[in-house]
Amino acid sequence: MALNEFDLIEKYFQQRQPGAFGVSLGIGDDCALLMPPAGKALATTIDTLVAGNHFPENADPELIAERALRVNLSDMAAMGGEALWFTLALTLPSADAPWLDGFARGLFQAASEFHCALVGGDTTRGPLSITIQVMGAVELNQALLRGNARPGDLVYVTGTLGDAAAAVAVIRNRLKVGKAAFAYLMSHYYRPLPRLKEGQMLAGIASAAIDVSDGLLADLGHICKSSGVGALIDWERVPVSEALAKVARPEQVREWALSGGDDYQLCFTVPPAQALHVEQMVSQKRLSASQIGEIVRGEGVSCRYKGRPIALGKTGYQHFDIDTET
Ligand code: ADP
Ligand code: MG
Protein backbone atom coordinates (compact mmCIF):
# COMPACT_ATOMS: atom_id res chain seq x y z
CA MET A 1 0.00 0.00 0.00
CA ALA A 2 1.20 3.52 -0.73
CA LEU A 3 0.50 4.62 2.82
CA ASN A 4 1.96 2.35 5.44
CA GLU A 5 -0.49 0.74 7.84
CA PHE A 6 0.35 3.07 10.74
CA ASP A 7 0.00 6.26 8.66
CA LEU A 8 -3.29 4.98 7.31
CA ILE A 9 -4.67 4.26 10.78
CA GLU A 10 -3.51 7.63 12.08
CA LYS A 11 -4.82 9.58 9.10
CA TYR A 12 -8.22 7.98 8.76
CA PHE A 13 -9.19 6.28 11.98
CA GLN A 14 -7.43 7.92 14.92
CA GLN A 15 -9.85 10.83 15.04
CA ARG A 16 -11.02 12.86 17.99
CA GLN A 17 -14.39 11.64 19.16
CA PRO A 18 -15.86 14.18 21.54
CA GLY A 19 -18.02 12.89 24.36
CA ALA A 20 -16.91 9.25 24.10
CA PHE A 21 -18.02 7.40 27.22
CA GLY A 22 -15.67 5.30 29.34
CA VAL A 23 -12.67 5.23 27.00
CA SER A 24 -9.60 5.18 29.26
CA LEU A 25 -7.37 4.32 26.32
CA GLY A 26 -8.41 4.32 22.67
CA ILE A 27 -6.61 3.60 19.36
CA GLY A 28 -2.82 3.29 19.38
CA ASP A 29 -1.83 0.70 21.94
CA ASP A 30 -2.08 -3.10 22.05
CA CYS A 31 -5.57 -2.97 23.55
CA ALA A 32 -8.18 -0.35 24.25
CA LEU A 33 -9.12 0.10 27.92
CA LEU A 34 -12.83 0.63 28.46
CA MET A 35 -14.96 1.28 31.53
CA PRO A 36 -18.53 -0.09 31.19
CA PRO A 37 -21.23 1.60 33.32
CA ALA A 38 -21.17 0.13 36.83
CA GLY A 39 -23.51 -2.79 37.44
CA LYS A 40 -24.48 -3.34 33.80
CA ALA A 41 -23.71 -6.27 31.56
CA LEU A 42 -21.29 -5.73 28.68
CA ALA A 43 -23.18 -6.52 25.45
CA THR A 44 -21.12 -7.34 22.39
CA THR A 45 -21.97 -8.23 18.79
CA ILE A 46 -19.97 -8.60 15.57
CA ASP A 47 -20.81 -8.75 11.87
CA THR A 48 -18.76 -9.01 8.69
CA LEU A 49 -19.77 -7.41 5.42
CA VAL A 50 -18.06 -8.86 2.34
CA ALA A 51 -17.96 -6.86 -0.90
CA GLY A 52 -20.11 -8.36 -3.63
CA ASN A 53 -22.03 -10.37 -1.09
CA HIS A 54 -23.32 -7.89 1.49
CA PHE A 55 -22.96 -4.73 -0.59
CA PRO A 56 -22.02 -3.95 -4.21
CA GLU A 57 -18.22 -3.74 -4.60
CA ASN A 58 -18.42 -0.40 -6.42
CA ALA A 59 -20.84 1.22 -3.93
CA ASP A 60 -20.05 4.65 -2.49
CA PRO A 61 -17.53 4.04 0.35
CA GLU A 62 -19.29 6.57 2.56
CA LEU A 63 -22.49 4.53 2.29
CA ILE A 64 -20.66 1.21 2.78
CA ALA A 65 -19.27 2.51 6.09
CA GLU A 66 -22.62 3.93 7.20
CA ARG A 67 -24.33 0.65 6.48
CA ALA A 68 -21.63 -1.45 8.14
CA LEU A 69 -21.87 0.41 11.42
CA ARG A 70 -25.66 0.81 11.35
CA VAL A 71 -26.37 -2.91 10.84
CA ASN A 72 -24.12 -3.76 13.77
CA LEU A 73 -25.82 -1.16 15.94
CA SER A 74 -29.12 -2.78 15.02
CA ASP A 75 -28.11 -5.95 16.90
CA MET A 76 -27.37 -3.85 19.98
CA ALA A 77 -30.81 -2.25 19.58
CA ALA A 78 -32.47 -5.68 19.41
CA MET A 79 -30.92 -6.52 22.79
CA GLY A 80 -32.24 -3.32 24.38
CA GLY A 81 -28.65 -2.18 24.84
CA GLU A 82 -26.97 1.20 24.76
CA ALA A 83 -24.15 1.33 22.17
CA LEU A 84 -20.86 2.67 23.53
CA TRP A 85 -17.85 1.53 21.49
CA PHE A 86 -16.84 -0.32 18.36
CA THR A 87 -13.79 -1.87 16.76
CA LEU A 88 -13.16 -2.15 13.01
CA ALA A 89 -11.28 -4.88 11.14
CA LEU A 90 -10.80 -3.61 7.62
CA THR A 91 -9.43 -5.67 4.72
CA LEU A 92 -8.61 -3.53 1.70
CA PRO A 93 -7.37 -4.43 -1.79
CA SER A 94 -5.27 -1.20 -1.76
CA ALA A 95 -4.85 2.03 0.19
CA ASP A 96 -7.01 4.15 -2.11
CA ALA A 97 -7.08 7.65 -0.58
CA PRO A 98 -10.43 8.88 -2.03
CA TRP A 99 -12.06 5.59 -1.03
CA LEU A 100 -10.68 5.84 2.51
CA ASP A 101 -11.73 9.50 2.77
CA GLY A 102 -15.30 8.56 1.93
CA PHE A 103 -15.27 5.49 4.14
CA ALA A 104 -13.96 7.40 7.18
CA ARG A 105 -16.50 10.20 6.59
CA GLY A 106 -19.41 7.73 6.58
CA LEU A 107 -18.02 5.82 9.54
CA PHE A 108 -17.57 8.82 11.82
CA GLN A 109 -20.85 10.36 10.71
CA ALA A 110 -22.72 7.24 11.88
CA ALA A 111 -20.48 6.93 14.96
CA SER A 112 -21.30 10.46 16.11
CA GLU A 113 -24.99 10.17 15.24
CA PHE A 114 -25.31 7.09 17.46
CA HIS A 115 -22.74 8.13 20.12
CA CYS A 116 -20.54 5.11 19.56
CA ALA A 117 -16.75 5.59 19.64
CA LEU A 118 -14.16 3.76 17.49
CA VAL A 119 -11.63 2.35 19.97
CA GLY A 120 -9.46 0.00 17.91
CA GLY A 121 -9.23 -2.37 15.02
CA ASP A 122 -7.03 -4.11 12.51
CA THR A 123 -6.05 -3.26 8.95
CA THR A 124 -5.00 -5.85 6.40
CA ARG A 125 -4.67 -6.23 2.64
CA GLY A 126 -7.00 -8.54 0.71
CA PRO A 127 -10.45 -8.59 -0.91
CA LEU A 128 -12.62 -5.77 0.50
CA SER A 129 -14.31 -6.83 3.71
CA ILE A 130 -15.45 -4.95 6.80
CA THR A 131 -15.89 -6.43 10.24
CA ILE A 132 -17.32 -4.29 13.01
CA GLN A 133 -17.74 -5.28 16.61
CA VAL A 134 -20.07 -3.11 18.65
CA MET A 135 -19.90 -3.08 22.44
CA GLY A 136 -22.46 -1.61 24.77
CA ALA A 137 -24.23 -1.96 28.06
CA VAL A 138 -27.53 -3.36 29.19
CA GLU A 139 -29.23 -3.97 32.53
CA LEU A 140 -28.81 -7.74 32.88
CA ASN A 141 -32.42 -8.52 33.84
CA GLN A 142 -33.88 -6.14 31.22
CA ALA A 143 -32.07 -7.41 28.12
CA LEU A 144 -34.43 -8.31 25.25
CA LEU A 145 -33.81 -12.01 24.65
CA ARG A 146 -35.33 -14.15 21.90
CA GLY A 147 -36.57 -16.88 24.19
CA ASN A 148 -39.17 -15.22 26.43
CA ALA A 149 -42.21 -14.80 24.17
CA ARG A 150 -45.37 -16.47 25.55
CA PRO A 151 -48.75 -17.37 23.99
CA GLY A 152 -51.03 -14.34 24.20
CA ASP A 153 -48.19 -11.83 23.75
CA LEU A 154 -48.77 -9.27 21.00
CA VAL A 155 -46.31 -9.06 18.09
CA TYR A 156 -45.12 -5.63 16.97
CA VAL A 157 -42.77 -4.28 14.35
CA THR A 158 -41.20 -0.81 14.09
CA GLY A 159 -41.31 1.35 10.94
CA THR A 160 -42.14 -0.24 7.59
CA LEU A 161 -40.98 -3.49 5.99
CA GLY A 162 -39.93 -4.39 2.45
CA ASP A 163 -38.19 -1.14 1.45
CA ALA A 164 -34.69 -2.62 1.56
CA ALA A 165 -35.70 -5.66 -0.52
CA ALA A 166 -37.10 -3.30 -3.16
CA ALA A 167 -33.83 -1.35 -3.02
CA VAL A 168 -31.88 -4.56 -3.67
CA ALA A 169 -34.13 -5.25 -6.70
CA VAL A 170 -33.32 -1.75 -7.99
CA ILE A 171 -29.57 -2.26 -7.42
CA ARG A 172 -29.79 -5.55 -9.34
CA ASN A 173 -31.67 -3.86 -12.20
CA ARG A 174 -34.78 -5.92 -11.55
CA LEU A 175 -36.95 -2.95 -10.70
CA LYS A 176 -37.12 0.49 -12.31
CA VAL A 177 -38.35 3.40 -10.20
CA GLY A 178 -38.54 7.19 -10.47
CA LYS A 179 -36.08 9.63 -8.88
CA ALA A 180 -37.90 10.18 -5.58
CA ALA A 181 -38.57 6.49 -4.98
CA PHE A 182 -34.95 5.71 -5.90
CA ALA A 183 -33.62 8.13 -3.27
CA TYR A 184 -36.05 6.81 -0.66
CA LEU A 185 -35.24 3.14 -1.28
CA MET A 186 -31.46 3.65 -1.44
CA SER A 187 -31.45 5.56 1.83
CA HIS A 188 -33.34 2.69 3.50
CA TYR A 189 -30.85 0.17 2.18
CA TYR A 190 -27.60 2.03 2.85
CA ARG A 191 -28.62 4.02 5.90
CA PRO A 192 -30.98 1.75 7.88
CA LEU A 193 -32.00 3.27 11.19
CA PRO A 194 -30.78 1.15 14.10
CA ARG A 195 -33.68 1.21 16.54
CA LEU A 196 -31.51 1.89 19.58
CA LYS A 197 -33.92 4.35 21.18
CA GLU A 198 -36.84 1.95 20.75
CA GLY A 199 -34.84 -1.03 22.03
CA GLN A 200 -33.88 0.83 25.19
CA MET A 201 -37.48 2.02 25.71
CA LEU A 202 -38.67 -1.58 25.42
CA ALA A 203 -36.01 -3.11 27.68
CA GLY A 204 -37.84 -4.55 30.68
CA ILE A 205 -41.20 -4.15 28.88
CA ALA A 206 -41.12 -6.35 25.76
CA SER A 207 -40.86 -10.10 26.36
CA ALA A 208 -38.66 -10.77 23.30
CA ALA A 209 -37.11 -8.89 20.40
CA ILE A 210 -35.06 -9.39 17.24
CA ASP A 211 -33.96 -7.11 14.44
CA VAL A 212 -35.37 -7.94 11.02
CA SER A 213 -32.24 -8.63 8.98
CA ASP A 214 -33.32 -11.79 7.12
CA GLY A 215 -37.04 -11.07 6.70
CA LEU A 216 -39.97 -10.90 9.10
CA LEU A 217 -41.01 -14.56 8.75
CA ALA A 218 -37.47 -15.85 9.26
CA ASP A 219 -36.61 -13.54 12.15
CA LEU A 220 -39.91 -13.89 13.99
CA GLY A 221 -39.37 -17.61 13.39
CA HIS A 222 -36.18 -17.34 15.50
CA ILE A 223 -38.17 -15.84 18.38
CA CYS A 224 -40.74 -18.64 18.05
CA LYS A 225 -38.11 -21.36 18.01
CA SER A 226 -36.19 -19.95 20.98
CA SER A 227 -39.42 -19.39 22.94
CA GLY A 228 -41.11 -22.70 22.03
CA VAL A 229 -44.18 -20.92 20.63
CA GLY A 230 -45.85 -20.06 17.32
CA ALA A 231 -46.89 -16.70 15.85
CA LEU A 232 -49.88 -15.59 13.80
CA ILE A 233 -49.43 -12.52 11.61
CA ASP A 234 -52.23 -10.50 9.99
CA TRP A 235 -50.85 -9.36 6.64
CA GLU A 236 -53.21 -6.37 6.45
CA ARG A 237 -51.58 -5.00 9.63
CA VAL A 238 -48.01 -5.27 8.36
CA PRO A 239 -46.76 -1.71 7.75
CA VAL A 240 -45.59 -0.94 4.22
CA SER A 241 -44.38 2.46 3.02
CA GLU A 242 -46.37 4.44 0.46
CA ALA A 243 -43.25 4.57 -1.66
CA LEU A 244 -43.03 0.76 -1.77
CA ALA A 245 -46.75 0.28 -2.44
CA LYS A 246 -46.42 2.59 -5.46
CA VAL A 247 -43.52 0.83 -7.17
CA ALA A 248 -44.56 -2.83 -7.13
CA ARG A 249 -47.55 -5.15 -7.55
CA PRO A 250 -49.33 -6.13 -4.31
CA GLU A 251 -48.05 -9.73 -4.35
CA GLN A 252 -44.49 -8.49 -4.83
CA VAL A 253 -44.91 -5.98 -2.01
CA ARG A 254 -46.15 -8.78 0.23
CA GLU A 255 -43.21 -11.02 -0.58
CA TRP A 256 -40.72 -8.24 0.14
CA ALA A 257 -42.44 -7.16 3.36
CA LEU A 258 -42.75 -10.69 4.75
CA SER A 259 -39.56 -12.28 3.46
CA GLY A 260 -37.24 -9.51 2.29
CA GLY A 261 -34.21 -8.83 4.48
CA ASP A 262 -32.11 -5.78 5.29
CA ASP A 263 -34.80 -3.55 6.80
CA TYR A 264 -33.32 -3.67 10.33
CA GLN A 265 -36.62 -2.87 11.99
CA LEU A 266 -37.28 -4.33 15.44
CA CYS A 267 -39.80 -7.13 15.79
CA PHE A 268 -40.84 -7.50 19.42
CA THR A 269 -43.44 -9.22 21.57
CA VAL A 270 -45.42 -7.58 24.36
CA PRO A 271 -47.10 -9.42 27.27
CA PRO A 272 -50.79 -8.50 27.74
CA ALA A 273 -49.95 -6.74 31.05
CA GLN A 274 -47.71 -4.28 29.14
CA ALA A 275 -49.97 -3.83 26.10
CA LEU A 276 -51.60 -0.61 27.31
CA HIS A 277 -48.22 0.90 28.18
CA VAL A 278 -46.88 0.13 24.69
CA GLU A 279 -50.06 1.38 22.98
CA GLN A 280 -49.64 4.67 24.88
CA MET A 281 -46.06 5.02 23.68
CA VAL A 282 -47.34 4.41 20.13
CA SER A 283 -50.28 6.84 20.33
CA GLN A 284 -48.05 9.53 21.87
CA LYS A 285 -45.67 8.98 18.93
CA ARG A 286 -42.79 8.13 21.24
CA LEU A 287 -42.61 4.72 19.55
CA SER A 288 -43.15 4.16 15.83
CA ALA A 289 -44.50 0.62 15.83
CA SER A 290 -47.49 -1.42 14.64
CA GLN A 291 -49.13 -4.45 16.17
CA ILE A 292 -49.11 -7.11 13.45
CA GLY A 293 -50.20 -10.29 15.19
CA GLU A 294 -49.88 -12.45 18.26
CA ILE A 295 -47.93 -15.29 19.82
CA VAL A 296 -49.84 -18.57 19.94
CA ARG A 297 -49.27 -22.10 21.19
CA GLY A 298 -47.52 -24.41 18.73
CA GLU A 299 -44.62 -23.66 16.45
CA GLY A 300 -43.67 -21.61 13.41
CA VAL A 301 -45.03 -18.41 11.92
CA SER A 302 -48.37 -18.44 10.10
CA CYS A 303 -49.97 -15.59 8.28
CA ARG A 304 -53.55 -14.62 7.47
CA TYR A 305 -55.16 -11.98 5.32
CA LYS A 306 -58.48 -10.63 6.60
CA GLY A 307 -58.87 -13.71 8.76
CA ARG A 308 -58.10 -16.28 6.05
CA PRO A 309 -54.90 -18.32 6.13
CA ILE A 310 -52.22 -17.53 3.59
CA ALA A 311 -50.13 -20.44 2.31
CA LEU A 312 -46.48 -20.03 3.25
CA GLY A 313 -43.73 -22.48 2.35
CA LYS A 314 -41.85 -24.34 5.08
CA THR A 315 -38.74 -22.25 4.64
CA GLY A 316 -40.53 -18.97 4.12
CA TYR A 317 -42.57 -17.35 1.46
CA GLN A 318 -44.14 -18.98 -1.60
CA HIS A 319 -45.40 -17.07 -4.58
CA PHE A 320 -49.15 -16.80 -4.90
CA ASP A 321 -51.64 -14.31 -6.14
CA ILE A 322 -53.17 -12.06 -3.52
CA ASP A 323 -56.45 -11.71 -5.44
CA THR A 324 -57.11 -15.35 -6.21
CA GLU A 325 -56.44 -17.11 -2.93
CA THR A 326 -59.21 -19.31 -1.60
P1 ADP B 1 -1.13 -4.87 16.60
O1 ADP B 1 0.13 -5.11 15.87
O2 ADP B 1 -1.00 -4.85 18.09
O3 ADP B 1 -2.27 -5.73 16.09
P2 ADP B 1 -1.95 -2.79 14.86
O4 ADP B 1 -0.74 -2.29 14.15
O5 ADP B 1 -2.84 -3.73 14.13
O6 ADP B 1 -1.52 -3.38 16.27
O7 ADP B 1 -2.83 -1.54 15.32
C1 ADP B 1 -2.26 -0.45 15.99
C2 ADP B 1 -3.36 0.28 16.69
O8 ADP B 1 -4.26 0.79 15.74
C3 ADP B 1 -4.17 -0.59 17.65
O9 ADP B 1 -4.53 0.21 18.75
C4 ADP B 1 -5.37 -0.96 16.84
O10 ADP B 1 -6.50 -1.18 17.67
C5 ADP B 1 -5.56 0.28 15.96
N1 ADP B 1 -6.15 -0.02 14.63
C6 ADP B 1 -5.65 -0.78 13.64
N2 ADP B 1 -6.43 -0.77 12.56
C7 ADP B 1 -7.50 0.02 12.87
C8 ADP B 1 -8.68 0.43 12.19
N3 ADP B 1 -8.96 0.02 10.94
N4 ADP B 1 -9.54 1.22 12.86
C9 ADP B 1 -9.29 1.62 14.13
N5 ADP B 1 -8.19 1.30 14.80
C10 ADP B 1 -7.30 0.50 14.21
MG1 MG C 1 -3.27 -5.74 14.23
Side-chain angles (χ1 to χ4, degrees):
M1 293 188 191
L3 278 174
N4 79 37
E5 187 190 334
F6 302 103
D7 295 342
L8 186 155
I9 295 164
E10 201 180 303
K11 176 157 186 215
Y12 293 103
F13 298 115
Q14 210 159 1
Q15 301 195 5
R16 228 177 64 77
Q17 297 172 89
F21 175 91
V23 182
S24 290
L25 187 64
I27 294 171
D29 215 307
D30 299 316
C31 290
L33 298 175
L34 308 168
M35 309 295 278
K40 292 200 177 176
L42 179 68
T44 173
T45 175
I46 188 165
D47 265 311
T48 295
L49 282 80
V50 176
N53 186 0
H54 299 101
F55 59 89
E57 179 117 42
N58 60 358
D60 180 345
E62 185 171 342
L63 295 178
I64 294 173
E66 284 248 17
R67 179 169 151 75
L69 182 52
R70 285 163 177 266
V71 303
N72 271 279
L73 290 169
S74 173
D75 278 320
M76 185 61 65
M79 208 63 184
E82 169 193 6
L84 296 171
W85 314 298
F86 70 105
T87 55
L88 166 70
L90 192 56
T91 305
L92 298 170
S94 66
D96 174 337
W99 194 94
L100 280 159
D101 274 331
F103 185 86
R105 201 179 321 121
L107 191 75
F108 286 102
Q109 140 64 30
S112 76
E113 181 172 345
F114 298 104
H115 311 289
C116 192
L118 179 62
V119 296
D122 196 28
T123 308
T124 51
R125 190 197 279 262
L128 178 59
S129 149
I130 299 146
T131 299
I132 288 180
Q133 178 171 40
V134 167
M135 289 155 281
V138 66
E139 204 79 60
L140 193 54
N141 58 7
Q142 296 200 341
L144 297 173
L145 309 185
R146 296 180 179 185
N148 289 337
R150 297 290 171 262
D153 288 0
L154 304 175
V155 179
Y156 280 80
V157 70
T158 60
T160 57
L161 292 175
D163 296 310
V168 170
V170 171
I171 291 167
R172 291 183 175 154
N173 286 322
R174 290 184 191 155
L175 177 70
K176 284 239 172 310
V177 296
K179 244 187 174 170
F182 182 85
Y184 172 86
L185 295 176
M186 289 306 125
S187 85
H188 273 252
Y189 179 74
Y190 283 111
R191 304 183 74 242
L193 181 62
R195 296 288 187 172
L196 287 157
K197 183 173 68 84
E198 290 81 356
Q200 287 168 66
M201 277 169 78
L202 292 164
I205 293 173
S207 47
I210 193 167
D211 62 327
V212 182
S213 54
D214 296 334
L216 176 69
L217 298 177
D219 289 316
L220 180 55
H222 294 314
I223 287 185
C224 289
K225 193 158 183 235
S226 296
S227 300
V229 296
L232 190 51
I233 297 303
D234 293 306
W235 160 240
E236 67 274 18
R237 289 172 175 259
V238 175
V240 168
S241 69
E242 262 178 53
L244 176 58
K246 272 190 202 153
V247 297
R249 289 169 298 118
E251 59 269 33
Q252 180 65 83
V253 168
R254 183 157 72 183
E255 181 184 345
W256 283 337
L258 294 179
S259 302
D262 296 321
D263 282 312
Y264 298 100
Q265 299 295 343
L266 276 192
C267 176
F268 58 95
T269 60
V270 176
Q274 298 286 358
L276 194 61
H277 188 175
V278 170
E279 272 312 311
Q280 273 171 353
M281 295 198 277
V282 171
S283 62
Q284 291 164 359
K285 301 208 189 305
R286 287 189 288 138
L287 177 66
S288 156
S290 318
Q291 195 226 318
I292 58 170
E294 64 180 318
I295 296 296
V296 295
R297 281 176 213 289
E299 60 180 43
V301 182
S302 342
C303 197
R304 13 178 230 202
Y305 179 59
K306 298 191 174 159
R308 295 158 107 193
I310 287 174
L312 300 168
K314 249 194 182 156
T315 52
Y317 186 88
Q318 280 183 338
H319 287 272
F320 56 91
D321 190 328
I322 197 165
D323 298 322
T324 58
E325 68 191 45
T326 50

